[in-house]
Every structure is written in C-alpha cells, then in structure tokens.
C-alpha cells in the first residue's frame, strides 16, 4: 500500500450487520509444527488484513476465536513464513471445524459447520481431479505425440469449463458462487460479418468490454475481501481500456458508477480509492489528469463514503498543485537568475521545444541523468533548449555542477530570492523532475525520465505530422 494508509485503515471498521455471537474456528493440521498461524482476509489479491493468530499444539490442533464476528469474505491461513497454507470462505456460519494435513491440503480437507467453505473445497477437489488427469495425459504426450491424447486433454478442459459454469450457477446465492461468477468469462455471441466476410473482431471487443462486469455483484460488499475485485479492475483498466487520459477517465467513471448503483458503501469506497490511488502515479503521458478528475469528482465532491478531514485536505492540496501543471496547460511563470546575475524568464526562451530540468546538484539520480540529457541536447540543439532549474539552496554546488558536467550552453537558473516553493509551485517532489514544453510553452509531457526524451519526441513529432495530414 503506497498511498492513503489512513484511508486503508478505515476500511477495517466498515461492515454490514453480522451475527452477534463472535466466532470460533477449530482446526487440526496433521504434520504442522507447533507454531503460530495467522488468519487474515484478502484485501485485493496482493494484500491482506490480519484478524487473528493461534498457536498449533504438538498434535496440530489450534483454535481461532473472538467475541465479535468476522467480516464475511475469503480468508487465508498463513504459516509463520507468511506463505498461504489454505483458504476459507467465511460467511454467517462462523463456528466450524476443519481438518487436513500438510501432505495434501485440498485433498484431505474436511470441514463441518461452514456450508460456504464446504462448497469451496468441493469445487477445489473436483478441479484437482481434472488437473491430475490432464497432467497424466501431458506426461504421455512427452513420450508419444498423437491426436487422440490432445483430444482427451481438450475434452477435459471443456468439462472443467462446464463444471465451473454449472457450479457457479447452482451456488449463485452463496459467497463461493459469487466469487466464481465474478471471475467467469463472458460468453460471446457470434460476431457480425465485416464487408469482406470475416468476423468483426472490433465488434466482439466492444461487446466483451461492455458486458465485462455482468457477472459481478456490486451490491455485495463481501467481494471486497476477495481477490476478484482488484483482478477485474486491473484487467479492465490496464488491458481493456486505451491508455489515454480521456479513455481512462471514462472507464473509471463507468466502474464507479456501477458501484454507486450497487449500493454497497464499502465496494464504492474500494473502487474509488483503488482507481484514484492507481491514477496518482500514472504510467502514461498526461495521466495526472485522471487523478485530478477522480479526486475532484469523488473525494472533493463528497461522494467518497469513507474519508476524513485530513484525507480531503491532502487531496485538495495535491489537486491544487497538479491541476495547473497538467499536459495541455501553459507552464506557470518561472524566472530564475543565471550565473552572470541576469534574470532569465522561462517565457523568453525561443525554441521549438524546451526541456525544463528541475534538479539538485547533489542528487545522485540527477547526476546519472545529466549525461543523457546532455547527449539529447547535443543531438537536438537546433530545435531544443534546456532550462535547468536548481532547487537546492547551495549556489556554489550549483555552479560546480555546471562546470563539472560541461553544460554551459543550457539556460541555468537559481532562486536567490528563496521565494519559490518548487514542491508546491511545480510539483517537484523528487529530483530530477522533467517537463517538456512546445514553442508556446504549453506542457506536452511531465515527469518524463530523461532516458525517454528521444523516444517521446520522435513519437510526438510523428503524431503532429499525422494530425496535420488529416486536416
């Protein structure tokens, strides 16, 4: 968890009405060492929240218990090494027993008193059986390749899919069934034909994306405590959405809209938090616009159901900093003093492109990036100028840096007034920080690694030429 840890903690305290008698889960694990094991529920697929710890005795017996009921969801049993040992679907029935052994956890798992976990392991055992058959046939294939063996493998795979669909349908009202349904692939209809007679693959893609969430129950908050939601979000945003700000905003709003319509406060909060958190560190040019949109609409707009005043204030401050610096905006005014004592406004530079390089002369990354920026400048100096802005309060180090790296041709600037807050005014939270401006000083890229300047400029020039050809 990188950002908004305080918000993450808030999720722990949100729950629906549960049973009132607490929980007691007794287990026996043959072959386990006398050591503490942890019970935790999923929070996305890469995170979990610890709820209890129990120590196994010499016979592998252990008990988890508490006065308050557990939040319903998919739980994992963790060994001291943090390795996941087993999963349990914990619903309203929270007084149950289980037994298994370390040799074959799934195959030997027996559960009494938890219908959802019983369903879960019934499904798991059936899958293990199918996969064992496939493994045997694949071993045969290594010795002898034949069409019959491959046909058998394909037939078993069809049986797995049929069993999956049938099991999910029969158990659709249970949490186990909802977890399986949430992960189910959409059944695609026959695609219409293109004029050349071939199936229209673009139509199929749009159909798939439009129906991607059909099997996900946005009214069931328990799905937050499973890996299903985060996996679907990641695929929808990263694989099914074109990676430009407008498309990412549209997809994010679509998902959040479904969560809001579903009515689960916790599910709404997770979708808003996760998508905003992912957008805060964009991997695409101009991606900061996605964060600003989501932050303004859902956090500052009062829609986010789980928040506090400090969260809102932090987000408001960040939006205030980033919004004037988004791709497409004119770079805010910046005027620094050069080594000759002359004031050098950024706006006065006459170049087709300007690279604004915020750096600290003593920063290791800045020193590593400078030779690459110098090489880029030397190759493109007829169209590119570099405006190098030192953010450090050490004028002698600044001048030494210029001499040591031999970058006197750049326009260099230092804030002798100490009035500029580079963090607030230009979002310089780390150094180096790079902006690329066009001839009108409009921002065309920000937070771009120096090593990617050449590739970006080549792409940008080609895009401009393409757009010009369409006019």
């Amino acid at each position: 968890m990188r950002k908004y840890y305080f918000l993450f903690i808030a999720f722990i305290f949100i729950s629906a009405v549960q049973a009132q008698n607490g929980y007691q889960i007794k287990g026996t694990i043959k072959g386990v060492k006398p050591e503490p094991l942890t019970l935790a529920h999923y929070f996305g697929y890469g995170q979990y929240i610890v709820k209890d710890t129990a120590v196994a005795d010499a016979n592998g017996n252990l008990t988890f218990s508490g006065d308050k009921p557990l939040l319903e969801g998919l739980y994992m049993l963790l060994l001291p090494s943090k390795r996941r040992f087993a999963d349990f679907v914990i619903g309203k029935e929270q007084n149950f027993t289980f037994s298994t052994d370390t040799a074959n956890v799934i195959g030997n798992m027996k559960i009494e008193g938890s219908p959802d976990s019983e369903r879960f392991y019934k499904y798991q055992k059936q899958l293990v059986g199918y996969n064992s058959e496939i493994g045997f046939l694949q071993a045969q294939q290594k010795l002898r390749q034949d069409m019959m063996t491959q046909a058998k493998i394909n037939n078993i795979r069809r049986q797995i899919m049929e069993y999956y669909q049938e099991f999910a349908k029969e158990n659709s009202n249970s949490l186990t069934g909802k977890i399986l349904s949430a992960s189910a692939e959409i059944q695609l209809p026959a695609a219409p034909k293109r004029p050349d007679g071939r199936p229209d693959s673009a139509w199929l893609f749009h159909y798939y994306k439009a129906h991607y969430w059909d099997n996900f129950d946005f009214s069931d908050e328990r799905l937050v405590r499973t890996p299903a939601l985060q996996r679907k979000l990641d695929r929808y945003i990263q694989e099914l959405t074109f990676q430009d700000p407008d498309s990412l905003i549209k997809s994010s709003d679509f998902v959040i809209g479904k969560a809001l319509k579903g009515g689960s406060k916790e599910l709404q909060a997770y979708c808003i938090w996760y998508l905003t958190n992912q957008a805060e560190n964009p991997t695409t040019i101009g991606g900061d616009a996605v964060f600003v949109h989501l932050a303004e609409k859902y956090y500052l707009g009062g829609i986010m159901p789980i928040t506090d005043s400090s969260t809102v204030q932090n987000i408001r401050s960040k939006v205030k900093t980033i919004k004037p610096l988004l791709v497409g905006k004119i770079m805010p005014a910046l005027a620094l003093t050069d080594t000759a004592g002359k004031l050098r406004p950024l706006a006065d530079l006459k170049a087709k492109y300007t690279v604004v390089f915020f750096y600290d002369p003593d920063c290791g990354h800045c020193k590593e990036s400078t030779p690459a920026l110098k090489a880029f400048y030397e190759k493109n100096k007829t169209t590119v100028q570099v405006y190098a802005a030192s953010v450090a309060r050490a004028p002698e180090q600044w001048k030494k840096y210029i001499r040591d790296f031999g970058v006197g041709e750049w326009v260099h600037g230092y804030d002798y007034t100490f009035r500029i807050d580079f963090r607030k005014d230009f979002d310089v939270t780390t150094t180096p920080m790079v902006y690329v401006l066009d001839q009108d000083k409009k921002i065309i890229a920000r937070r771009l690694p120096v090593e990617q300047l050449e590739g970006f400029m080549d792409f940008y020039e080609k895009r401009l030429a393409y757009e010009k050809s369409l006019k």
Side-chain angles (χ1 to χ4, degrees), residues 73-75 87-91 93 96 114 116-117 120 175-176 179:
L74 184 62
Y75 281 68
D87 285 333
F88 299 101
V89 179
I90 297 182
E93 295 83 3
F96 65 90
S114 174
D116 249 325
S117 280
F120 182 75
L175 180 53
T176 297
I179 294 172

Side-chain angles (χ1 to χ4, degrees), residues 139-361:
Q140 282 188 331
Q141 275 189 319
K142 291 180 180 179
L143 301 174
R144 183 187 63 190
Q145 291 282 345
D146 63 74
M147 298 296 291
M148 183 65 72
T149 302
Q150 186 59 51
K152 290 179 180 178
I153 292 174
N154 292 340
N155 183 53
I156 295 172
R157 286 174 175 162
R158 280 193 294 271
Q159 290 179 50
I160 290 175
M161 182 55 65
E162 290 170 1
Y163 177 70
Y164 174 87
Q165 293 170 346
E166 183 180 346
F167 191 92
K169 184 177 181 180
E170 288 179 354
N171 297 278
S172 58
N173 292 324
S174 70
L175 180 53
T176 297
K178 288 190 176 186
I179 294 172
L180 292 175
S181 293
S183 306
E185 282 291 353
I186 301 300
Q187 298 300 303
L188 296 174
K193 302 290 185 182
R194 300 189 314 186
D196 61 5
R198 298 170 63 184
D200 190 339
S201 57
W203 183 91
L204 278 177
F205 172 81
H206 291 299
Y207 180 93
Y208 181 82
K209 185 178 179 182
H211 293 271
Y212 179 76
W213 294 98
D214 283 3
N215 297 323
F216 192 93
D217 186 354
F218 279 95
S219 69
D220 195 333
E221 71 171 37
R222 298 175 298 178
L223 291 174
V224 169
R225 292 178 286 278
T226 74
L229 178 54
Q230 186 185 340
R231 284 199 174 108
K232 287 189 77 75
L233 284 171
D234 283 348
R235 188 177 183 202
Y236 187 73
I237 296 297
Q238 297 169 14
E239 299 179 25
L240 301 182
T241 300
F242 188 68
Q243 298 297 293
D244 69 30
D246 289 343
S247 298
L248 291 167
I249 287 171
K250 184 177 179 181
S251 286
S252 298
D253 281 344
F254 179 79
V255 175
I256 293 171
K258 292 186 79 68
L260 292 172
K261 188 175 180 180
S264 165
K265 294 295 185 183
E266 192 168 2
L267 231 156
Q268 294 166 19
Y270 185 91
C271 289
I272 294 171
W273 164 78
Y274 187 76
L275 292 171
T276 306
N277 198 38
Q278 295 298 300
E280 190 174 4
N281 294 284
T283 57
T284 58
I285 300 297
D288 292 302
V290 183
F291 169 79
V292 170
H293 169 83
L294 296 177
E296 286 190 322
K297 182 172 183 178
Y298 299 107
Y299 280 90
L300 305 186
I303 297 174
M304 176 65 173
I306 304 175
T307 191
D308 55 43
S309 58
S310 62
T311 302
V312 173
Q313 185 55 44
N314 287 338
I315 292 175
R316 181 175 285 111
S317 296
K318 181 148 190 171
V319 168
K320 184 179 180 181
T321 295
I322 293 177
K323 195 170 183 179
L325 300 166
L326 295 177
V327 168
K329 303 272 188 166
I330 299 297
M331 186 75 168
L334 175 62
L336 300 172
T337 304
D338 67 13
T339 55
K342 181 182 178 182
L343 192 66
R344 302 296 299 270
L346 173 63
D348 288 353
L349 267 66
K350 305 300 180 185
K352 186 176 182 181
Y353 299 108
T354 302
V355 175
V356 184
F357 184 63
F358 292 99
Y359 72 100
D360 182 336

Side-chain angles (χ1 to χ4, degrees), residues 35-40 48-54 62 64 76-80 82 86:
E35 54 189 7
L37 282 80
T38 301
L39 184 68
Y48 58 84
I49 297 176
V50 173
K51 302 305 293 185
D52 202 355
T53 301
L62 70 164
F64 296 101
M76 64 180 80
L77 191 60
L78 297 166
L79 299 173
K82 303 305 178 185

